[in-house]
């Protein structure tokens, strides 16, 4: 199993190209089930999760061409198999996003329950309840969601989410495009990836109002057509490299990043003493003087993203003073804390909150990644630490960060992947 070695203490300077967003690409690929296509996605990242979704769509009967050099994904064809099997779905929870499109277009679907996850349970009950409001009949049998539309078609409805859910919003948004009549999604997620999906669906011929707000209105029944859509830049990757600039005291230009996609992350970084400036090609990030401890609470967009919590905690480990970090989205998202403490971080945590008291220096150590964002937080800590850090179990990293060691090495980091 590959490892990543970092020798810290080097200021990072230069330009980092921000890849297309993983969390946007996965639902966009699922949207390819809604028409015969082709649906061409540009600015496509090369990630393990993308390969998993490609495998899922191919086993449904679609053709998925991934041109890595041109950075495009082209999805075409009709589904010949309406079952999403456990062996694929267990690898990635986003696989459940095929449920809404399959049910809406073909009138039935059989999709494995995703199962547990290292950072939390993330149940799919909001997906199921929403589809039932659209007229679906759903049963859970032998670990599978078995769904059908009694008349072969879903019908529009007003759906009020009891809490914000990105995945449920995406699934129901796609399903509503082919349902009969109007659907209104209230308390819908507002993440940039939701807006990106809606814009793609409109390019395919869907009729959607309220993009970027908490209420989406979809006039269903449209025939969706071939389209080409550019994938939005990855705001979490941009925020991660912003933390890399700050934790090393360097200056990075994040090519393609957009300020409006960062939400509260930009404000919190500024409060901590980090300059984040928008340019005509992206964002420039640098540390002004010393870092200051800042309290954060994770919230749905435009609040502070839970996917940035671990990276920001690494930054706070070398800030002056203390920071309280409260996680409200996932119940097990502090598993990186013991690994940061192995590197000399001073962190006390109880329940959903952690108190981080900054130290002058971290020390390199062997550490183990427990999930995707935890893995990159340990790389950030290694960039700031004295000595050598070895990050084990980096297969997590490959799910969501494209060529991270090459990108960091190109801006001065002493980093290398060590093959198993």
């Amino acid at each position: 199993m590959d490892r990543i070695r970092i020798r810290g203490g080097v200021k990072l300077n230069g330009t980092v190209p921000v890849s297309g967003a993983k969390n946007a690409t996965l639902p966009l690929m699922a949207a390819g089930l809604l028409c015969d296509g082709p649906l061409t996605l540009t600015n496509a990242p090369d990630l393990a999760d993308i390969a998993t979704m490609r495998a899922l769509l191919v086993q449904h009967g679609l053709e998925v061409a991934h041109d890595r050099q041109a950075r495009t994904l082209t999805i075409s064809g009709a589904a010949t198999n309406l079952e999403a099997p456990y062996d694929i779905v267990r690898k990635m929870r986003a696989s459940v996003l095929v449920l809404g499109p399959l049910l809406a277009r073909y009138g039935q679907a059989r999709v494995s329950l995703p199962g547990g996850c290292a950072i939390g349970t993330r149940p799919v009950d909001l997906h199921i309840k929403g589809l039932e409001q659209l007229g679906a009949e759903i049963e859970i049998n032998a670990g599978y969601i078995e769904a059908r539309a009694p008349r072969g078609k879903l019908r529009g409805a007003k759906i009020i989410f009891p809490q914000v859910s990105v995945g449920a919003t995406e699934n129901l948004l796609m399903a509503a495009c082919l349902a009969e009549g109007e659907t209104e999604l209230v308390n819908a997620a507002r993440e940039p990836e939701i807006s990106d999906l809606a814009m793609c669906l409109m390019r395919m011929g869907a009729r959607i109002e309220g993009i970027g707000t908490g209420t989406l209105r979809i006039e269903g029944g449209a025939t969706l057509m071939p389209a080409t859509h550019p994938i939005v830049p990855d705001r979490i990757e941009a925020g991660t490299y912003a933390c890399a600039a700050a934790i090393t005291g360097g200056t990075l230009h994040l090519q393609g990043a957009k300020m409006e996609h960062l939400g509260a992350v930009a404000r919190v970084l500024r409060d901590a003493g980090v300059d984040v400036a928008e340019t005509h090609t992206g964002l420039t990030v640098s540390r002004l003087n010393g870092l200051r401890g800042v309290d954060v609470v994770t919230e749905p967009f435009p609040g502070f993203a839970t996917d940035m919590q671990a990276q920001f905690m690494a930054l706070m480990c070398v800030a002056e003073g203390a920071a309280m970090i409260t996680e409200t989205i996932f119940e097990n998202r502090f598993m990186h804390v013991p690994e940061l403490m192995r590197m000399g971080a001073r962190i006390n945590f109880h329940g959903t909150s952690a108190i981080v008291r900054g130290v002058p220096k971290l020390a390199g150590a062997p550490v183990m990644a427990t999930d995707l964002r935890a893995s990159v937080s340990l790389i950030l800590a290694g960039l700031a630490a004295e000595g050598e850090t070895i990050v084990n179990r980096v297969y997590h990293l490959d799910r969501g960060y494209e060529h991270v060691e090459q990108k960091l090495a190109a801006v001065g980091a002493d980093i290398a992947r060590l093959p198993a």
Side-chain angles (χ1 to χ4, degrees):
M1 191 177 295
D2 287 1
R3 301 170 295 158
I4 287 183
R5 172 195 53 76
I6 309 111
R7 296 189 180 107
V10 179
K11 292 184 178 182
L12 303 185
N13 290 286
T15 297
V16 177
V18 177
S19 301
K22 173 185 83 84
N23 290 340
T25 307
L26 298 173
L28 289 169
M29 292 176 72
L33 288 162
L34 294 169
C35 73
D36 288 344
L39 172 61
T40 300
L41 305 174
T42 63
N43 193 32
D46 186 11
L47 301 167
D49 276 6
I50 304 306
T52 299
M53 181 61 85
R54 179 179 182 272
L56 180 59
L57 295 179
V58 167
Q59 73 82 41
H60 281 310
L62 275 65
E63 296 180 8
V64 183
H66 189 179
D67 187 330
R68 290 171 173 80
Q69 185 172 359
R71 304 185 67 79
T72 61
L73 281 162
T74 303
I75 303 157
S76 58
T80 57
N81 171 28
L82 303 183
E83 179 173 314
Y86 171 75
D87 283 347
I88 296 179
V89 176
R90 67 179 175 84
K91 298 177 183 178
M92 184 184 67
R93 295 190 57 86
S95 301
V96 78
L97 292 175
V98 302
L99 177 61
L102 285 174
L103 182 59
R105 186 172 182 199
Y106 299 101
Q108 58 183 311
R110 187 171 189 263
V111 177
S112 172
L113 287 166
C117 178
I119 61 171
T121 55
R122 296 195 279 185
V124 295
D125 58 314
L126 295 182
H127 302 240
I128 293 172
K129 291 175 181 176
L131 290 170
E132 286 176 333
Q133 288 180 265
L134 293 178
E137 295 179 352
I138 298 178
E139 295 182 354
I140 308 297
N141 287 319
Y144 277 78
I145 304 167
E146 297 181 350
R148 68 183 189 94
R151 297 180 297 109
K153 283 282 188 182
L154 298 175
R155 59 178 183 273
K158 182 174 182 177
I159 299 170
I160 302 174
F161 294 109
Q163 68 247 24
V164 174
S165 169
V166 172
T169 300
E170 291 167 340
N171 233 334
L172 294 172
L173 173 59
M174 289 187 283
C177 290
L178 298 186
E180 295 176 338
E182 183 177 282
T183 296
E184 185 176 16
L185 303 180
V186 181
N187 198 28
R190 292 185 286 162
E191 274 72 3
E193 296 80 14
I194 302 286
S195 297
D196 199 42
L197 174 61
M199 292 301 298
C200 178
L201 292 169
M202 290 185 67
R203 284 191 169 97
M204 297 167 70
R207 299 182 289 268
I208 304 169
E209 296 180 354
I211 296 175
T213 75
T215 300
L216 295 171
R217 294 179 181 85
I218 307 99
E219 185 60 44
T223 299
L224 300 190
M225 305 296 291
T228 298
H229 177 76
I231 299 167
V232 71
D234 194 320
R235 63 192 172 98
I236 304 302
E237 185 187 39
T240 299
Y241 288 116
C243 287
I247 204 167
T248 65
T251 299
L252 292 178
H253 179 66
L254 310 180
Q255 185 177 349
K258 297 184 181 296
M259 185 75 77
E260 66 266 27
H261 293 170
L262 292 182
V265 171
R267 173 185 57 78
V268 169
L269 286 172
R270 289 184 177 125
D271 290 346
V274 181
D275 183 57
V276 184
E278 194 159 24
T279 72
H280 67 284
T281 58
L283 300 174
T284 297
V285 183
S286 59
R287 193 168 79 197
L288 297 174
N289 292 300
L291 291 168
R292 299 183 295 272
V294 178
D295 298 343
V296 298
V297 178
T298 62
E299 296 175 311
F301 189 85
F304 192 92
T306 181
D307 279 354
M308 279 299 302
Q309 181 256 106
Q311 301 92 305
F312 188 73
M313 183 179 290
L315 184 63
M316 291 295 94
C317 287
V318 294
E320 296 178 3
M324 176 180 282
I325 299 174
T326 301
E327 174 61 58
T328 68
I329 309 297
F330 297 126
E331 65 269 26
N332 296 328
R333 210 159 199 181
F334 283 152
M335 290 188 294
H336 49 283
V337 170
E339 303 304 304
L340 290 171
M341 292 174 68
R342 285 176 52 79
M343 301 178 69
R346 295 176 60 204
I347 307 171
N348 295 312
F349 70 100
H350 179 73
T352 61
S353 293
I355 299 290
V356 185
R357 294 177 175 85
V359 297
K361 284 285 184 181
L362 296 172
V367 291
M368 182 176 68
T370 54
D371 61 72
L372 170 57
R373 307 305 173 184
S375 62
V376 83
S377 77
L378 299 176
I379 288 177
L380 292 175
L383 292 172
E386 290 184 339
E388 183 175 276
T389 297
I390 301 290
V391 182
N392 296 283
R393 294 177 63 181
V394 296
Y395 63 86
H396 292 293
L397 194 71
D398 297 332
R399 290 184 48 229
Y401 286 92
E402 186 177 35
H403 312 310
V404 65
E405 65 271 25
Q406 290 98 317
K407 288 187 177 184
L408 286 170
V411 292
D414 187 344
I415 183 171
R417 181 176 290 251
L418 307 179

